[in-house]
Amino acid sequence: MDERTDRPGGPDLLELPLPKPGECPFGPPPEMAGLRERTPVVRVKCPTGLTAWLVTRYDDVREVLGDAERFSSRAGQAIHLMAHADPERPVGELEFSRMDGADYQRFRRTIGPELSTAQRMAELRPMVQALVDERLDTLAVAGPPADFYADFAVPVTTAVIGGLVGVPYADRELFHNAAAVMFSGATSRADVLAAMRPLHEYLFKMVVTRRATPLDDSLSRIIARSEASERPYTDVELVGICAALLVPGFDTSATVMAHGLLTLLAHPGELARLHAEPSLIPSGVEEIVRFLGGAPGIVRQATRDTEIGGHPVAGGDYVVLAMQAADRDTEAFPDPDRLDVGRRPNNHLGFGYGTHQCFGQQTARLELTMTLETLLRRVPSLRLAVPLEDVPFKTGSIVYGPAEVPVTWDAVLPAEVAG
């Protein structure tokens, strides 16, 4: 029996297919296509020992993501990959992403205006542009080659999310270190708590300070919004909000930024289309997210006996939603394995779907869009410095993507000239 689900496992249980950068650096594991066609709902054993139903068809994945009443987020989204995650552990005050229903919406309603409205994106645009230009100026002074991931993507996304919350760039190691441990597939719960403690202590002091002396930052506005509500946040809840923004907020965006650039450099025809028609950049960003997003999959738990795509699923069963594989479904996307920066419509699942879809997706779109716009203007000669097969990918992390993207260029144009 599988002790996590009390369901038969069996020695022949399929191992959860994991990304294979050596074979498919930009796509889901090759076997996902066959599973989607023949057995779109199939029992698998995950790296953590969890047994779950793997769902690979677009309509089925979208249905589960969109039905929070039948499929709960309480167990945690990455329990199939993170050894320290325990789906049976009670939901803590800091863990609003594991909440459902009104408890979860209480947080989303307050955080959303800081990360998702058109007005907020317009306000953030000058800051993001300044950060992008600053990093390119730094690269221009240092000269080629450079690692686009470490030298550009991580500094930009770190500064954006830190600036939103109010954490100075100089203090970035606090949430960088926490993220490295949190998103490792092999760390223990004790390791995670030890890594998060310094960040939580830092954020608690910041919350107390902002309550007394508000500033022009997201935390101060979240506090003000909360105080006007029927159920104001506790200091611990505010610490949880800040940590939830900072820890996943920099590296997931930095990784898709680096992986997205690598994808375009490996598809020169599509990159040329963006050079020729910069108006395609927004649709190009959506296509990058469709092409790459959701590679590790996320978990839901059935709240009652139900079915997925006509397949019975018992209450309490875990479900792994293979979003990247779903976004390669021929029933949902014409020629889905082809990168098409002009693809429309593009109702991808790369940012999720439903009530728990990524609440930072508009900020991520802004970062990706402004990065591509500026790179095309200021560094039109940007190219890989090594063969594609020599680009290393991350190991031991649930954030899938390149560990480095070595690039070179002929010149970085000054911002005023490029503009």
Side-chain angles (χ1 to χ4, degrees), residues 320-340:
V320 174
L321 304 171
M323 296 186 295
Q324 189 183 31
D327 279 340
R328 301 298 183 95
D329 190 338
T330 57
E331 296 296 318
F333 301 95
D335 200 3
D337 291 322
R338 181 173 69 89
L339 183 74
D340 176 6

mmCIF file of all heavy atoms in Angstrom, residues 320-340:
data_model
loop_
_atom_site.group_PDB
_atom_site.id
_atom_site.type_symbol
_atom_site.label_atom_id
_atom_site.label_comp_id
_atom_site.label_asym_id
_atom_site.label_seq_id
_atom_site.Cartn_x
_atom_site.Cartn_y
_atom_site.Cartn_z
ATOM 1 N N VAL A 320 -1.189 15.101 -9.850
ATOM 2 C CA VAL A 320 -0.113 15.930 -10.386
ATOM 3 C C VAL A 320 -0.562 16.450 -11.747
ATOM 4 O O VAL A 320 -0.852 15.668 -12.656
ATOM 5 C CB VAL A 320 1.204 15.152 -10.533
ATOM 6 C CG1 VAL A 320 2.263 16.009 -11.224
ATOM 7 C CG2 VAL A 320 1.707 14.694 -9.169
ATOM 8 N N LEU A 321 -0.622 17.754 -11.884
ATOM 9 C CA LEU A 321 -1.078 18.392 -13.111
ATOM 10 C C LEU A 321 0.142 18.805 -13.932
ATOM 11 O O LEU A 321 0.902 19.689 -13.548
ATOM 12 C CB LEU A 321 -1.935 19.615 -12.773
ATOM 13 C CG LEU A 321 -3.138 19.308 -11.876
ATOM 14 C CD1 LEU A 321 -3.797 20.592 -11.415
ATOM 15 C CD2 LEU A 321 -4.136 18.409 -12.595
ATOM 16 N N ALA A 322 0.324 18.135 -15.077
ATOM 17 C CA ALA A 322 1.478 18.378 -15.941
ATOM 18 C C ALA A 322 1.140 19.519 -16.901
ATOM 19 O O ALA A 322 0.732 19.307 -18.042
ATOM 20 C CB ALA A 322 1.848 17.110 -16.695
ATOM 21 N N MET A 323 1.333 20.755 -16.444
ATOM 22 C CA MET A 323 0.871 21.910 -17.209
ATOM 23 C C MET A 323 1.656 22.101 -18.502
ATOM 24 O O MET A 323 1.088 22.487 -19.531
ATOM 25 C CB MET A 323 0.929 23.152 -16.332
ATOM 26 C CG MET A 323 -0.019 23.069 -15.147
ATOM 27 S SD MET A 323 -0.100 24.568 -14.177
ATOM 28 C CE MET A 323 1.566 24.658 -13.538
ATOM 29 N N GLN A 324 2.969 21.855 -18.480
ATOM 30 C CA GLN A 324 3.731 22.017 -19.716
ATOM 31 C C GLN A 324 3.303 20.986 -20.757
ATOM 32 O O GLN A 324 3.158 21.304 -21.941
ATOM 33 C CB GLN A 324 5.231 21.908 -19.450
ATOM 34 C CG GLN A 324 6.064 22.289 -20.673
ATOM 35 C CD GLN A 324 7.551 22.124 -20.443
ATOM 36 O OE1 GLN A 324 7.975 21.256 -19.680
ATOM 37 N NE2 GLN A 324 8.347 22.935 -21.107
ATOM 38 N N ALA A 325 3.062 19.762 -20.311
ATOM 39 C CA ALA A 325 2.573 18.740 -21.233
ATOM 40 C C ALA A 325 1.189 19.105 -21.747
ATOM 41 O O ALA A 325 0.873 18.901 -22.935
ATOM 42 C CB ALA A 325 2.533 17.379 -20.536
ATOM 43 N N ALA A 326 0.332 19.658 -20.889
ATOM 44 C CA ALA A 326 -1.001 20.080 -21.320
ATOM 45 C C ALA A 326 -0.922 21.176 -22.363
ATOM 46 O O ALA A 326 -1.736 21.226 -23.301
ATOM 47 C CB ALA A 326 -1.810 20.546 -20.111
ATOM 48 N N ASP A 327 0.058 22.060 -22.218
ATOM 49 C CA ASP A 327 0.222 23.146 -23.175
ATOM 50 C C ASP A 327 0.853 22.696 -24.486
ATOM 51 O O ASP A 327 1.056 23.517 -25.385
ATOM 52 C CB ASP A 327 1.054 24.274 -22.544
ATOM 53 C CG ASP A 327 0.217 25.186 -21.653
ATOM 54 O OD1 ASP A 327 -1.015 25.200 -21.809
ATOM 55 O OD2 ASP A 327 0.804 25.882 -20.798
ATOM 56 N N ARG A 328 1.151 21.390 -24.608
ATOM 57 C CA ARG A 328 1.592 20.812 -25.886
ATOM 58 C C ARG A 328 0.521 19.884 -26.460
ATOM 59 O O ARG A 328 0.806 19.074 -27.339
ATOM 60 C CB ARG A 328 2.899 20.031 -25.680
ATOM 61 C CG ARG A 328 4.065 20.841 -25.126
ATOM 62 C CD ARG A 328 4.483 21.970 -26.045
ATOM 63 N NE ARG A 328 5.641 22.687 -25.525
ATOM 64 C CZ ARG A 328 6.903 22.432 -25.876
ATOM 65 N NH1 ARG A 328 7.155 21.465 -26.743
ATOM 66 N NH2 ARG A 328 7.897 23.131 -25.359
ATOM 67 N N ASP A 329 -0.705 20.019 -25.989
ATOM 68 C CA ASP A 329 -1.815 19.183 -26.437
ATOM 69 C C ASP A 329 -2.296 19.659 -27.809
ATOM 70 O O ASP A 329 -2.683 20.828 -27.972
ATOM 71 C CB ASP A 329 -2.947 19.274 -25.410
ATOM 72 C CG ASP A 329 -4.059 18.256 -25.640
ATOM 73 O OD1 ASP A 329 -4.196 17.771 -26.776
ATOM 74 O OD2 ASP A 329 -4.788 17.967 -24.673
ATOM 75 N N THR A 330 -2.284 18.766 -28.787
ATOM 76 C CA THR A 330 -2.726 19.136 -30.132
ATOM 77 C C THR A 330 -4.201 19.492 -30.188
ATOM 78 O O THR A 330 -4.645 20.159 -31.140
ATOM 79 C CB THR A 330 -2.439 17.983 -31.116
ATOM 80 O OG1 THR A 330 -3.084 16.792 -30.639
ATOM 81 C CG2 THR A 330 -0.949 17.722 -31.247
ATOM 82 N N GLU A 331 -4.974 19.053 -29.205
ATOM 83 C CA GLU A 331 -6.391 19.403 -29.171
ATOM 84 C C GLU A 331 -6.612 20.850 -28.721
ATOM 85 O O GLU A 331 -7.696 21.410 -28.899
ATOM 86 C CB GLU A 331 -7.156 18.461 -28.235
ATOM 87 C CG GLU A 331 -7.168 17.010 -28.694
ATOM 88 C CD GLU A 331 -7.903 16.830 -30.013
ATOM 89 O OE1 GLU A 331 -8.966 17.458 -30.177
ATOM 90 O OE2 GLU A 331 -7.405 16.091 -30.878
ATOM 91 N N ALA A 332 -5.586 21.442 -28.125
ATOM 92 C CA ALA A 332 -5.710 22.808 -27.605
ATOM 93 C C ALA A 332 -4.912 23.823 -28.421
ATOM 94 O O ALA A 332 -5.286 25.002 -28.479
ATOM 95 C CB ALA A 332 -5.258 22.858 -26.145
ATOM 96 N N PHE A 333 -3.801 23.371 -29.037
ATOM 97 C CA PHE A 333 -2.923 24.282 -29.753
ATOM 98 C C PHE A 333 -2.496 23.663 -31.089
ATOM 99 O O PHE A 333 -1.976 22.542 -31.104
ATOM 100 C CB PHE A 333 -1.660 24.595 -28.930
ATOM 101 C CG PHE A 333 -1.942 25.223 -27.600
ATOM 102 C CD1 PHE A 333 -2.035 24.440 -26.449
ATOM 103 C CD2 PHE A 333 -2.122 26.596 -27.485
ATOM 104 C CE1 PHE A 333 -2.297 25.016 -25.218
ATOM 105 C CE2 PHE A 333 -2.385 27.176 -26.261
ATOM 106 C CZ PHE A 333 -2.480 26.386 -25.124
ATOM 107 N N PRO A 334 -2.684 24.370 -32.183
ATOM 108 C CA PRO A 334 -2.165 23.865 -33.462
ATOM 109 C C PRO A 334 -0.639 23.796 -33.428
ATOM 110 O O PRO A 334 0.018 24.738 -32.954
ATOM 111 C CB PRO A 334 -2.649 24.922 -34.478
ATOM 112 C CG PRO A 334 -3.724 25.691 -33.786
ATOM 113 C CD PRO A 334 -3.393 25.642 -32.324
ATOM 114 N N ASP A 335 -0.080 22.695 -33.925
ATOM 115 C CA ASP A 335 1.374 22.528 -33.997
ATOM 116 C C ASP A 335 2.031 22.939 -32.669
ATOM 117 O O ASP A 335 2.883 23.827 -32.628
ATOM 118 C CB ASP A 335 1.934 23.362 -35.143
ATOM 119 C CG ASP A 335 3.307 22.902 -35.591
ATOM 120 O OD1 ASP A 335 3.808 21.890 -35.046
ATOM 121 O OD2 ASP A 335 3.906 23.571 -36.454
ATOM 122 N N PRO A 336 1.651 22.318 -31.560
ATOM 123 C CA PRO A 336 2.027 22.812 -30.226
ATOM 124 C C PRO A 336 3.510 22.723 -29.909
ATOM 125 O O PRO A 336 3.994 23.447 -29.021
ATOM 126 C CB PRO A 336 1.218 21.924 -29.278
ATOM 127 C CG PRO A 336 1.012 20.662 -30.039
ATOM 128 C CD PRO A 336 0.836 21.087 -31.464
ATOM 129 N N ASP A 337 4.270 21.862 -30.600
ATOM 130 C CA ASP A 337 5.703 21.747 -30.313
ATOM 131 C C ASP A 337 6.532 22.766 -31.077
ATOM 132 O O ASP A 337 7.762 22.779 -30.960
ATOM 133 C CB ASP A 337 6.187 20.332 -30.636
ATOM 134 C CG ASP A 337 5.625 19.297 -29.668
ATOM 135 O OD1 ASP A 337 5.515 19.618 -28.466
ATOM 136 O OD2 ASP A 337 5.284 18.191 -30.101
ATOM 137 N N ARG A 338 5.874 23.621 -31.843
ATOM 138 C CA ARG A 338 6.574 24.682 -32.573
ATOM 139 C C ARG A 338 6.481 25.994 -31.801
ATOM 140 O O ARG A 338 5.398 26.390 -31.381
ATOM 141 C CB ARG A 338 5.975 24.868 -33.970
ATOM 142 C CG ARG A 338 6.672 25.956 -34.803
ATOM 143 C CD ARG A 338 6.134 25.966 -36.229
ATOM 144 N NE ARG A 338 4.760 26.434 -36.292
ATOM 145 C CZ ARG A 338 4.415 27.728 -36.434
ATOM 146 N NH1 ARG A 338 5.348 28.669 -36.504
ATOM 147 N NH2 ARG A 338 3.141 28.061 -36.501
ATOM 148 N N LEU A 339 7.618 26.657 -31.604
ATOM 149 C CA LEU A 339 7.619 27.987 -31.011
ATOM 150 C C LEU A 339 7.115 28.981 -32.041
ATOM 151 O O LEU A 339 7.665 29.072 -33.147
ATOM 152 C CB LEU A 339 9.030 28.363 -30.557
ATOM 153 C CG LEU A 339 9.162 29.717 -29.835
ATOM 154 C CD1 LEU A 339 8.602 29.617 -28.417
ATOM 155 C CD2 LEU A 339 10.613 30.182 -29.795
ATOM 156 N N ASP A 340 6.062 29.722 -31.696
ATOM 157 C CA ASP A 340 5.447 30.680 -32.608
ATOM 158 C C ASP A 340 5.178 31.963 -31.836
ATOM 159 O O ASP A 340 4.194 32.064 -31.100
ATOM 160 C CB ASP A 340 4.155 30.104 -33.178
ATOM 161 C CG ASP A 340 3.407 31.091 -34.079
ATOM 162 O OD1 ASP A 340 3.946 32.180 -34.350
ATOM 163 O OD2 ASP A 340 2.283 30.760 -34.500
#
